[in-house]
Amino acid sequence: MTTQDVVSAVRESVATRTPLRITGRSNWLDAGRPVRAGKTLSLRDDSGVVSYVPGDLTLTVRAGTTLAEIERVTLEHDQWLPLDPYGSSDGTIGATIATASAGPLASGFGLPRDLLLGLEFVNGRGEIVRAGGKVVKNVAGFDLSRLLTGSWGTLGVITELTLRLYARPRADRSFVVSLRGEQAKALAHAAYTAISPYAFQLVSASVARALGLGAHPACLVRLGGNEAVVAEQLIVLSQIAPTKEIEPHTWTALRELDVNADSVVRISNVPIQFLGASASILAEDIPGVYTCIDPRRGVLRIVVARNGQEGDDDTVAGGTSVEFGTDNGRSSEVIFEKLPADVWVRVSPSVVADSLSLGIRKAYDPHDILNPGILGD
Ligand SMILES: Cc1cc2nc3c(=O)[nH]c(=O)nc-3n(C[C@H](O)[C@H](O)[C@H](O)COP(=O)(O)OP(=O)(O)OC[C@H]3O[C@@H](n4cnc5c(N)ncnc54)[C@H](O)[C@@H]3O)c2cc1C
């Protein structure tokens, strides 16, 4: 599959009015709203490195390249792409950017859009568009790369991407702190003021149990840099509560908790708001409901496992957000990442119904052929 092949596929779909379902490695096609498509356009075989300049810390790859492949290639040069979306590393970079999939490392390195320098995509007219560039300081005019990030394939089929890499840290260690009483607040405060972790998650007892880290809410911390920097931050943490070192694959296990998800809801508010609320939210121990808080980003994630209790998705989503938002008078932002197909219309029929979004969609996909319905109509 080449960019020209994508152009032909899109132009044929326009001519025959046959909407397209865009796919990468199809690991997460049950996320987003149901798509009305007559044909699948897969980028799975369009993978590989286009150019890699270790000296510039930049890598250009085809959209079908997996995160695992990027990990392998950059490791040879002692570099890495700090992007760890939930699910698995078997996913493609094109899909990860199209869905703006962020994982625990977003706490230390920012969101997928912050690691994206530029991309090439084919819009719904079958035109090739290149946005951004291949170097760090590159954007002139509209930053289309950021517009395509998180557009779920509705504005264009991503074919090629240029990413910003980082040097691998000399030390990269992870720790768990079992939470009691006010420790969640003290740790969240430290994460905000005294340490700069690569990843920092306050997790409910159900998550700790699933990861084999005990039966109480816990705090997972990933510290990186040189040995001295890590040691200094560890002292700060240990002064708050006893810490225990854990294996790096604990983060992979945390990300894979989603694999059996029925529903995933993300609730965000100003980080300070999480300082007070964390302990009470984490105290809720509902079987099959996994709650994680990143107080540095102000994000609360609730994953409801497929074999959870009846009606969990509505109850959990509705209840938690309302209760959480009142304190500072600023309501929480609730984003549903995954819901059973029949629930979308009830709780979030569309996120692109406003005139501006409709205008942008019309400009990039005038015939409504790219993943129609995935963001609602
Ligand atoms: C079990 C599981 C749970 C996950 N949970 C989460 C989660 O909770 N939050 C989260 O953010 N991410 C989550 N992810 C997402 C994830 O890790 C990445 O988005 C991912 O990398 C999916 O890769 P894929 O190639 O299999 O995508 P696919 O499943 O093939 O595609 C995912 C979406 O991206 C679109 N897409 C794919 N390729 C392109 C392209 N080239 N151009 C435009 N659109 C494209 C598809 O239309 C589809 O809607 C999860 C993944 C899995 C497997």
Side-chain angles (χ1 to χ4, degrees), residues 263-267 284 300 302 304 311-326 331-336 339 343 346-348:
S263 308
V264 179
V265 182
R266 199 173 49 187
I267 298 168
E284 295 213 26
L300 160 67
I302 304 170
V304 180
D312 283 334
D313 41 282
D314 288 7
T315 321
V316 170
T320 306
S321 64
V322 173
E323 179 196 315
F324 180 68
T326 51
S331 64
S332 314
E333 176 96 22
V334 179
I335 294 175
F336 298 96
L339 287 171
V343 174
R346 276 193 275 140
V347 299
S348 179

Side-chain angles (χ1 to χ4, degrees), residues 56-71:
D56 287 351
L57 288 165
T58 62
L59 174 73
T60 301
V61 292
R62 299 298 293 170
T65 310
T66 66
L67 298 171
E69 175 67 8
I70 292 172
E71 165 97 7

Side-chain angles (χ1 to χ4, degrees), residues 13-89:
S13 284
V14 170
T16 60
R17 292 289 184 272
T18 314
L20 289 173
R21 177 41 150 151
I22 306 160
T23 65
R25 294 175 71 85
S26 304
N27 292 302
W28 206 41
L29 292 183
D30 54 1
R33 293 159 190 77
V35 172
R36 305 178 303 278
K39 211 165 146 210
T40 294
L41 173 58
S42 172
L43 281 294
R44 168 191 283 263
D45 303 327
D46 184 4
S47 66
V49 173
V50 176
S51 76
Y52 183 10
V53 190
D56 287 351
L57 288 165
T58 62
L59 174 73
T60 301
V61 292
R62 299 298 293 170
T65 310
T66 66
L67 298 171
E69 175 67 8
I70 292 172
E71 165 97 7
R72 190 187 63 70
V73 167
T74 53
L75 184 58
E76 287 164 16
H77 296 272
D78 213 15
Q79 300 181 342
W80 66 316
L81 176 70
L83 184 56
D84 59 344
Y86 293 93
S88 76
S89 294

Side-chain angles (χ1 to χ4, degrees), residues 84-97:
D84 59 344
Y86 293 93
S88 76
S89 294
D90 177 50
T92 61
I93 186 66
T96 304
I97 296 297

